[in-house]
């Protein structure tokens, strides 16, 4: 209803109409909180990957995360909001004099990579399972959905801990943790497919001889895009938290590699003497996950306008 | 209804069995159970390895070991069979380990669940009723923050500020005037957000709250109340009577005097009982408290029934809720009056490690306070995280319900807004929440694993982590069994709640 009204209004006002995709884009661009979150998230990514460089490409920040530097004072952060200076070591230095800004940026790079990997892979798994179960019904559905139940009933953290003990490290976690996070999306996609597969356009496609693969990819998958896009963002947020928690418990990333979780874990006992070593990585996690969740919220509103305030 | 429940229970057991199999296979393949022994330089290395292979049964194929565990685990549920959860790689009996670990973890998780439901539902309903107000935005933003917070990070922060700094402060509890003013200001701001109204009323609320809090803090500070607090029967009666009035106003309003009288009579009866039993209460004891609690509920239901008349059901409800609140207040009163004695025994009241202080000797109330202070921070942490999601779900389901036609009908026939919310909307809004709570239980346990680790509790989480690190399947399986069974029970409770909330399901 809302969509039709919106479309009608625009027709009256500007004498043109919008496609479904344009409507969604417009709704998302008007979502102020989500847009600000998107900008902050973008800045964070750019900062993480350009400052200390990535791989062979050098960054604009003069120091790297591995070398030690002469201590400035006790290694306190030199960033100051009152005097607008960044100073020598904006986030301070760690116990042996490494530049903490570079270390946090390195941690962010690793954590973001894990998170994006897990988010994308788990979404692919969940989508495929949901599509197959919803489209084929019968024993395929029974098997896949029971499997989903088995995974859901075990607390996420427990499953994730066991799996990342099997394959730790950045690459291992990226490949293994999606096996934990796909379940809720599979259920959602299956629900959508169950109603889509009975619709006339699907029947028409099947009658005119389209193969199962074509029906699923061309006719059903586009109908589930809303659920999937929202799920990717939420999975990325969940993945960052899961990675850092596992690393904190000792099942994830281990030195010499680093991640935001490992930085917190390493310096949790330094809180009283060097609180900044604890604050900056934690705030980095909080900022990233908060942004991702706000973006997900904005996307959900854009795809499903029935839930937004225009209704009330 | 019964058939439905049994069917659900049967499916849950099957799912639990599947999940257990999956976890067992994954755990035994997650690493080398002999890794630490292979690296040891002890002379009898080979014998040690030999011994561990025998204790863990590593010479048998995995399905035999699994079948053995399963037989013992089934014995824990089916009467007449031996309950046996196997042994750890050191040969300790896992059943005994589980029993001691379970009490700590369940205390934590159940306390957090109950608190989170109460606070989350209240906050969610308030923010739904005041949608798009400042209060709603603050709550929404807060919920997002708590969703996005790494639990372990928040736990370490809480440990620093809630325990270490608090202990420093309580040694010489002085407050500067600025601190008092800031606390009073914040209380006033929050209260005026929550209570709402037009600007004049808001200003009045904020001003009154500010003055009351400031006066109370100044009095506490001058009286050294933070080290030697007391409430006394008078305050107990006042607070309980206030709670009774509040509950009455929520359930029926004041047009029906009988209900209010029932609540106030309950408070009176409670005061008499508390006064008469003060010597017994001073000695304390969990059995005594539980007995008195049952007695309180029975007496207050009887009072409600006696006063009720045609409002019997509501009067009974208000009376027992008031009775329960009053018993909590009485327990708080006794606990508070032993605070200074406990401080003598335990100068730094909030330890950052352990569920109980080691070697703590004291009378019942001092031990009660000790358990409470150790429980406080982990519970607060777990509660905050669950409150975030519960309040969001309550808010959205409440908004959905408020759109329904029967709400418009109720309003149209002149039902007061209070009755619309508490009678017509509230109950229906709770239906989706029961599912969420049951479902969320697993994530609460995940949270408990982390909090136990940070706060050094010897609970189920620690058992799981240590077991997994050593690739020792028995403790891991026992963790999965207990948490899985708890999740199944929670789902069962949710099903029964459905029947209560929505009579259509009862058939």
């Amino acid at each position: 209803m809302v969509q039709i009204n919106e479309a009608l209004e625009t027709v009256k006002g500007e004498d043109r109409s919008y496609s479904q995709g344009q409507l969604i884009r417009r709704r998302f661009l008007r979502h102020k909180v989500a847009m600000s979150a998107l900008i902050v998230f973008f800045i964070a990514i750019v900062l993480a990957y350009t400052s200390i460089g990535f791989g062979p490409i050098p960054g604009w920040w003069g120091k790297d995360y591995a070398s030690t530097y002469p201590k400035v004072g006790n290694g306190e952060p030199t960033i100051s909001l009152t005097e607008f200076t960044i100073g020598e070591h904006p986030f301070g230095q760690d116990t042996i004099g490494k530049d903490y800004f570079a270390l946090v940026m390195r941690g962010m790079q690793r954590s973001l990579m894990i998170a994006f990997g897990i988010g994308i892979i788990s979404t692919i798994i969940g989508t495929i399972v949901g599509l197959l179960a919803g489209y084929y019904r019968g024993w395929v559905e029974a098997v896949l959905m029971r499997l989903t139940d088995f995974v859901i009933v075990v607390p996420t953290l427990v499953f994730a801990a066991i799996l990342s003990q099997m394959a730790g490290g950045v690459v291992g976690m990226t490949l293994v943790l999606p096996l934990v996070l796909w379940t809720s999306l599979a259920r959602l996609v299956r629900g959508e497919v169950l109603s889509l597969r009975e619709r006339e356009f699907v029947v028409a496609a099947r009658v005119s001889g389209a193969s199962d693969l074509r029906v699923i990819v061309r006719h059903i998958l586009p109908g589930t895009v809303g659920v999937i896009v929202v799920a990717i963002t939420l999975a990325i947020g969940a993945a960052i938290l899961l990675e850092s928690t596992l690393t904190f418990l000792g099942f994830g990333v281990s030195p010499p590699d680093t991640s935001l979780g490992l930085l917190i874990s390493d310096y949790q006992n330094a809180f009283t003497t060097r609180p900044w070593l604890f604050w900056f990585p934690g705030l980095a996690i909080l900022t990233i996950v908060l942004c991702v969740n706000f973006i997900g919220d904005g996307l959900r509103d854009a795809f499903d306008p029935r839930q937004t305030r225009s209704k009330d | 209804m019964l058939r439905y429940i049994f069917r659900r229970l049967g499916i849950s057991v099957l799912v639990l069995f599947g999940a257990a199999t999956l976890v067992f296979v994954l755990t035994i393949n997650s690493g080398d159970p002999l890794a630490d022994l292979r690296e040891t330089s002890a002379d009898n290395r080979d014998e040690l390895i030999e011994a561990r292979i025998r204790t863990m049964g590593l010479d048998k194929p995995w399905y035999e070991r699994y079948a053995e565990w399963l037989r013992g685990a089934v014995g824990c549920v089916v009467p007449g069979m031996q309950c046996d959860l196997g042994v750890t790689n050191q040969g300790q009996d896992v059943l005994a380990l589980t029993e001691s670990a379970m009490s700590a973890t369940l205390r934590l998780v159940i306390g957090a669940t109950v608190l989170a439901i109460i606070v989350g539902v209240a906050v969610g309903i308030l923010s739904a009723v005041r949608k798009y107000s400042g209060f709603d935005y603050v709550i929404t933003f807060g919920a997002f923050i708590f969703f996005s917070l790494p639990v372990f990070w928040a736990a370490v922060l809480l440990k620093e500020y809630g325990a270490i700094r608090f202990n420093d402060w309580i040694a010489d509890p002085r407050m500067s005037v600025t601190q008092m003013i800031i606390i009073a200001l914040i209380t006033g701001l929050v209260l005026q957000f929550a209570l709402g109204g037009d600007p004049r009323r808001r200003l009045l609320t904020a001003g009154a709250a500010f003055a009351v809090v400031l006066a109370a803090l100044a009095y506490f500070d001058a009286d050294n109340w933070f080290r030697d607090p007391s409430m006394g029967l008078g305050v107990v009666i006042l607070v309980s009577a206030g709670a009774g009035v509040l509950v009455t106003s929520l359930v029926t309003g004041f047009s029906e005097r009988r209900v209010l009288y029932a609540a106030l009579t309950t408070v009176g009866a409670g005061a008499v009982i508390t006064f008469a039993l003060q010597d017994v209460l001073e000695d304390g004891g969990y059995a005594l408290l539980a007995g008195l609690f049952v007695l309180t509920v029975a007496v207050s239901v009887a009072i409600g029934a006696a006063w009720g008349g045609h409002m019997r059901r509501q009067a009974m409800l208000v009376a027992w809720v008031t009775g329960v609140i009053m018993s909590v207040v009485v327990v708080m009163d006794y606990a508070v009056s032993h605070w200074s004695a406990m401080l003598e025994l335990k100068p730094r009241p909030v330890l950052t490690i352990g569920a109980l202080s080691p070697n703590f000797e004291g009378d019942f109330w001092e031990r009660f306070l000790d358990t409470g202070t150790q429980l406080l921070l982990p519970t607060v942490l777990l509660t905050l995280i669950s409150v975030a999601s519960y309040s969001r779900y309550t808010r959205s389901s409440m908004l959905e319900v408020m759109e329904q036609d029967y709400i418009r009908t109720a309003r149209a026939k002149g039902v007061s807004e209070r009755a619309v919310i508490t009678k017509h909307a509230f109950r229906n809004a709770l239906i989706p929440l029961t599912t969420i709570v049951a479902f969320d239980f697993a994530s609460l346990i995940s949270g408990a694993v982390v909090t136990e680790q940070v706060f050094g509790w010897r609970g189920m989480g620690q058992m799981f982590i240590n077991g997994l690190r050593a690739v020792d399947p028995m403790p891991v399986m026992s963790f999965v069994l207990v948490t899985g069974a708890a999740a199944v029970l929670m789902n069962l409770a949710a099903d029964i709640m459905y029947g209560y909330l929505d009579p259509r399901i009862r058939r």
Side-chain angles (χ1 to χ4, degrees):
Chain A
M1 233 2 240
V2 180
Q3 295 168 24
I4 299 174
N5 285 343
E6 220 169 297
L8 282 178
E9 263 166 44
T10 46
V11 169
K12 261 182 274 165
E14 300 166 26
D15 201 23
R16 64 170 288 206
S17 58
Y18 292 93
S19 73
Q20 187 69 16
Q22 284 167 321
L23 279 176
I24 292 170
R25 201 173 311 128
R26 273 164 53 101
R27 275 198 294 265
F28 183 72
L29 291 176
R30 280 196 200 141
H31 201 292
K32 289 198 197 79
V33 180
M35 280 312 288
S36 339
L38 190 65
I39 293 169
V40 175
F41 187 51
F42 187 70
I43 293 175
I45 292 178
V46 170
L47 192 67
Y49 283 95
T50 61
S51 60
I52 57 164
F54 184 66
I57 311 157
W60 47 262
W61 184 247
K63 306 181 180 62
D64 70 80
Y65 59 90
S67 7
T68 51
Y69 297 90
K71 280 264 183 97
V72 178
N74 192 25
E76 289 96 347
T78 51
I79 194 167
S80 163
L81 293 178
T82 45
E83 297 162 34
F84 295 106
T85 55
I86 289 180
E88 188 66 19
H89 300 286
F91 287 6
Q93 286 167 291
D94 78 350
T95 38
I96 53 169
K98 284 183 185 172
D99 180 48
Y100 207 53
F101 176 77
L103 263 178
V104 170
M105 289 303 125
R106 176 69 182 166
M108 264 170 82
Q109 286 185 357
R110 303 306 271 175
S111 291
L112 280 170
M113 266 167 57
I114 298 176
F116 272 99
I118 294 176
I120 291 167
I121 300 177
S122 71
T123 307
I124 293 174
I125 300 178
T127 310
I128 291 177
V129 169
L131 283 175
L132 293 181
Y135 186 75
Y136 287 109
R137 311 294 312 268
W139 65 268
V140 177
E141 184 184 29
V143 170
L144 288 176
M145 286 297 123
R146 275 302 90 76
L147 190 66
T148 318
D149 288 342
F150 293 164
V151 178
I152 280 184
V153 81
V154 183
T156 318
L157 186 70
V158 171
F159 233 128
I162 299 175
L163 286 174
S164 58
Q165 168 148 303
M166 287 172 99
V170 171
V171 180
M173 281 174 104
T174 314
L175 293 178
V176 155
L177 289 189
L179 297 177
V180 181
L181 291 174
W182 55 274
T183 47
S184 56
L185 179 65
R187 283 188 168 179
L188 288 174
V189 169
R190 171 179 161 270
E192 294 272 307
V193 175
L194 283 183
S195 73
L196 282 173
R197 74 193 288 273
E198 307 297 334
R199 298 274 284 277
E200 288 82 355
F201 61 86
V202 174
V203 180
R206 244 187 290 176
V207 171
S208 52
S211 67
D212 281 352
L213 184 67
R214 189 181 164 82
V215 174
I216 292 178
V217 174
R218 297 300 293 266
H219 299 279
I220 291 185
L221 188 59
T224 60
V225 147
V227 189
I228 294 173
V229 169
V230 175
I232 290 189
T233 53
L234 297 183
I236 289 176
I240 294 186
L241 289 181
L242 193 60
E243 175 270 316
S244 54
T245 308
L246 287 175
T247 306
F248 182 80
L249 293 178
F251 293 113
V253 181
S254 48
D257 208 336
T258 187
S259 78
L260 292 175
L262 193 63
L263 287 176
I264 298 179
S265 176
D266 281 351
Y267 296 119
Q268 58 164 323
N269 293 324
F271 191 85
T272 338
T273 45
R274 292 187 173 80
W276 60 91
L277 296 181
F278 179 80
W279 278 107
F280 284 111
L283 288 177
I285 295 183
L286 184 60
T287 312
I288 295 174
V289 181
L290 196 60
C291 286
V292 170
N293 282 343
F294 275 132
I295 296 170
D297 196 48
L299 284 173
R300 186 176 7 223
D301 286 352
F303 278 105
D304 188 6
R306 278 167 305 168
Q307 293 186 351
T308 50
R309 67 179 303 173
S310 52
K311 182 190 172 190
D312 310 306
Chain B
M1 184 73 191
L2 262 185
R3 255 187 70 185
Y4 170 73
I5 288 178
F6 275 117
R7 224 174 66 94
R8 290 293 300 267
L9 205 60
I11 295 176
S12 315
V13 170
L14 279 184
V15 169
L16 204 57
F17 169 74
T21 317
L22 204 58
V23 170
F24 188 85
V25 174
L26 286 176
T27 307
I28 57 173
N29 286 312
S30 73
D32 176 11
L34 302 172
D36 56 326
L37 291 184
R38 282 191 218 284
E39 284 160 16
T40 176
S41 55
D43 296 336
N44 54 350
R45 207 187 72 144
D46 294 338
E47 285 154 40
L48 285 176
I49 291 182
E50 190 60 35
R52 183 172 293 178
I53 288 178
R54 247 178 295 119
T55 9
M56 292 177 70
L58 292 178
D59 44 356
K60 287 176 240 166
W62 72 270
Y63 48 84
E64 262 180 44
R65 289 156 64 198
Y66 181 62
E68 220 167 86
W69 175 81
L70 197 64
R71 209 172 305 130
V74 167
C76 296
V77 199
V78 180
M81 277 173 76
Q82 189 89 34
C83 181
D84 176 18
L85 293 176
V87 291
T88 63
N89 59 9
Q90 308 293 335
Q92 283 166 293
D93 182 25
V94 175
L95 183 63
L97 277 182
T98 310
E99 273 166 4
S100 72
M102 216 164 74
S103 73
T105 302
L106 287 187
R107 211 179 325 154
L108 181 64
V109 172
I110 290 176
T113 312
V114 172
L115 265 180
I117 291 175
I118 295 174
V119 179
V121 168
V123 168
I125 287 183
L126 262 182
S127 68
V129 171
R130 310 209 184 295
K131 58 181 177 203
Y132 309 127
S133 66
F135 178 73
D136 186 25
Y137 284 124
V138 170
I139 291 295
T140 305
F141 191 72
F144 266 96
I145 296 253
F146 285 116
F147 275 141
S148 318
L149 207 57
V151 183
F152 59 94
W153 189 67
V156 177
L157 276 186
L158 208 58
K159 205 159 107 172
E160 177 70 21
Y161 290 102
I164 298 172
R165 304 262 167 114
F166 175 77
N167 288 340
D168 291 346
W169 179 76
I170 201 75
D172 181 27
R174 289 274 157 247
M175 271 190 175
S176 70
V177 178
T178 337
Q179 281 168 335
M180 290 185 204
I181 290 178
I182 290 174
I183 294 177
L185 260 182
I186 292 175
T187 322
L189 269 179
V190 170
L191 263 186
Q192 63 91 12
F193 261 143
L195 296 179
D198 53 47
R200 223 181 83 90
R201 216 187 113 189
R202 278 166 173 247
L203 203 66
L204 208 68
T205 320
F210 178 76
V212 169
V213 172
L214 196 63
L217 285 179
Y219 169 75
F220 288 165
D221 192 50
D223 195 40
N224 201 17
W225 196 85
F226 298 108
R227 283 195 71 85
D228 188 12
S230 59
M231 283 163 70
L233 197 55
V235 177
V236 170
I237 294 176
L238 262 181
V239 171
S240 313
V245 171
L246 190 74
V247 174
T248 314
S249 77
L250 282 177
V251 175
T252 57
F254 298 118
S255 54
E256 203 51 62
R257 290 282 154 182
R258 294 162 172 278
V259 181
L260 184 63
Y261 294 152
L264 294 181
T265 314
T266 310
V267 174
V272 172
I273 295 178
T274 315
F275 189 70
L277 291 181
Q278 52 182 335
D279 290 341
V280 192
L281 274 171
E282 189 61 43
D283 292 340
Y286 286 109
L288 175 79
L289 289 188
L292 282 179
F293 185 77
V294 174
L295 182 75
T296 310
V297 173
V299 168
S300 43
V301 166
I303 291 174
W307 268 111
H310 69 285
M311 301 287 282
R312 235 178 111 180
R313 269 188 52 201
Q314 286 88 336
M316 275 155 68
L317 174 72
V318 169
W320 79 256
V321 172
T322 312
V324 168
I325 294 178
M326 177 147 190
S327 19
V328 172
V329 177
V330 169
V331 168
M332 265 171 60
D333 175 41
Y334 271 88
V336 150
S337 64
H338 287 79
W339 177 248
S340 67
M342 197 207 63
L343 279 182
E344 294 294 315
L345 293 169
K346 192 181 168 194
R348 293 182 74 77
V350 190
L351 296 185
T352 51
I353 284 179
L356 293 170
S357 325
N359 312 322
F360 186 81
E361 302 275 339
D363 65 7
F364 169 76
W365 288 107
E366 283 150 16
R367 272 179 287 128
F368 182 84
L369 271 177
D370 176 48
T371 319
T373 47
Q374 294 309 102
L375 196 58
L376 186 68
L377 294 183
T379 312
V380 165
L381 188 68
L382 282 185
T383 308
L384 278 179
I385 292 157
S386 296
V387 160
S389 62
Y390 294 172
S391 69
R392 293 307 291 162
Y393 284 114
T394 311
R395 177 181 180 275
S396 66
S397 85
M398 191 74 183
L399 285 181
E400 191 126 309
V401 169
M402 295 296 271
E403 294 280 301
Q404 300 293 321
D405 289 337
Y406 57 80
I407 298 292
R408 198 184 316 147
T409 311
R411 281 192 179 135
K413 74 180 184 190
V415 177
S416 71
E417 191 62 23
R418 173 197 61 75
V420 167
I421 291 167
T422 56
K423 272 198 192 141
H424 298 252
F426 176 61
R427 202 161 155 171
N428 290 303
L430 283 187
I431 293 175
L433 192 75
T434 47
T435 322
I436 301 295
V437 171
F439 204 70
D440 192 57
F441 194 69
S443 76
L444 206 65
I445 288 174
S446 299
V449 172
V450 178
T451 21
E452 273 176 20
Q453 188 71 9
V454 176
F455 287 98
W457 283 42
R458 303 169 70 82
M460 300 291 293
Q462 195 138 34
M463 198 173 86
F464 163 73
I465 288 176
N466 292 341
L468 182 59
R469 276 203 192 122
V471 200
D472 185 8
M474 292 307 158
V476 173
M477 292 310 286
S478 147
F479 176 88
V480 171
L481 186 73
V482 171
T483 55
V488 169
L489 285 182
M490 284 297 283
N491 275 305
L492 197 65
D495 285 341
I496 294 170
M497 271 303 276
Y498 272 150
Y500 169 72
L501 291 170
D502 187 350
R504 284 171 301 180
I505 299 178
R506 254 180 265 172
R507 266 178 244 137

